[in-house]
Amino acid sequence: MGLIENIRNAFADQWIPIIYRDKIRSQRTRLVTLDIPKRENAAEIQYTLLGIELKVGKRRFACPDLSTARYMRVFARFGAREFAIPYDITRISTAADELETSWHRLWLSLEEQARGRPSSTKGRARTRLLKAIRDEITEIGGGGVMPLFDRETKQQIPRR
């Protein structure tokens, strides 16, 4: 079994695409599209006079709040161009916490698994790991631009 498969199996339900599929895409979401390269990116959150921005390379994306910026940063780091974000803003922070924790554990696990191997092997493993995550996120999809509001409401039809 390869290095990537070992890490994926060790993470089980903490694997980023599984968190995305089971905990994010299972709820009402909206689509986010970032014009970024499909590779590992250095993504940083910047505080400006106009608010919070996510900077990926030379591009900047305005974010309504810090939790949204943190959430988007995880996906920008591995080059996902389209992904879903929870429509309910109260759930974004929790999702961002879980994704960031998994992200950091992922790199610690990779370092541990690749200990004693040449740096070129570690680099290739890192690239393959990012591609595997990106491909799974792309396969799951980002959903629609706006969520469906197809639920029944308690509004009554006005009488004539």
Side-chain angles (χ1 to χ4, degrees), residues 78-142:
F78 57 81
R81 291 182 165 188
E82 287 189 348
F83 53 91
I85 188 166
Y87 189 74
D88 182 357
I89 61 171
T90 61
R91 296 182 182 185
I92 296 173
S93 181
T94 306
D97 290 343
E98 197 165 353
L99 290 169
E100 283 184 331
T101 301
S102 182
W103 174 260
H104 292 294
R105 284 186 59 232
L106 190 68
W107 298 126
L108 291 174
S109 180
L110 180 64
E111 283 297 319
E112 184 180 309
Q113 296 267 339
R115 190 174 318 154
R117 297 185 185 188
S119 61
S120 61
T121 304
K122 288 179 186 178
R124 282 192 303 274
R126 185 177 178 106
T127 302
R128 283 195 328 249
L129 185 61
L130 289 171
K131 185 177 182 332
I133 293 171
R134 185 174 51 247
D135 289 347
E136 285 187 47
I137 294 292
T138 303
E139 186 179 310
I140 295 166

Side-chain angles (χ1 to χ4, degrees), residues 7 10 26 30 35-36 43-44 54 61 63 65 92 97 103 120 126 129 135 142 149 154:
I7 292 172
S26 62
R30 66 182 187 272
D35 184 19
I36 59 173
E44 60 184 79
L54 178 67
F61 304 95
C63 299
D65 56 15
I92 296 173
D97 290 343
W103 174 260
S120 61
R126 185 177 178 106
L129 185 61
D135 289 347
F149 293 99
K154 293 184 179 181

Side-chain angles (χ1 to χ4, degrees), residues 5-72:
E5 291 80 22
N6 286 342
I7 292 172
R8 184 167 190 226
N9 292 336
F11 270 68
D13 62 339
Q14 292 302 307
W15 179 247
I16 292 175
I18 291 177
I19 294 170
Y20 178 72
R21 183 191 67 211
D22 295 346
K23 296 184 179 177
I24 296 165
R25 288 293 291 137
S26 62
Q27 57 185 316
R28 187 178 284 176
T29 59
R30 66 182 187 272
L31 179 69
V32 174
T33 304
L34 300 178
D35 184 19
I36 59 173
K38 282 186 162 182
R39 60 174 168 77
E40 183 175 8
N41 296 297
E44 60 184 79
I45 297 172
Q46 295 188 330
Y47 301 90
T48 67
L49 293 173
L50 299 175
I52 298 172
E53 293 181 342
L54 178 67
K55 183 179 178 191
V56 183
K58 294 182 178 183
R59 302 188 66 77
R60 295 171 182 248
F61 304 95
C63 299
D65 56 15
L66 180 59
S67 60
T68 303
R70 288 178 43 233
Y71 181 90
M72 291 171 59

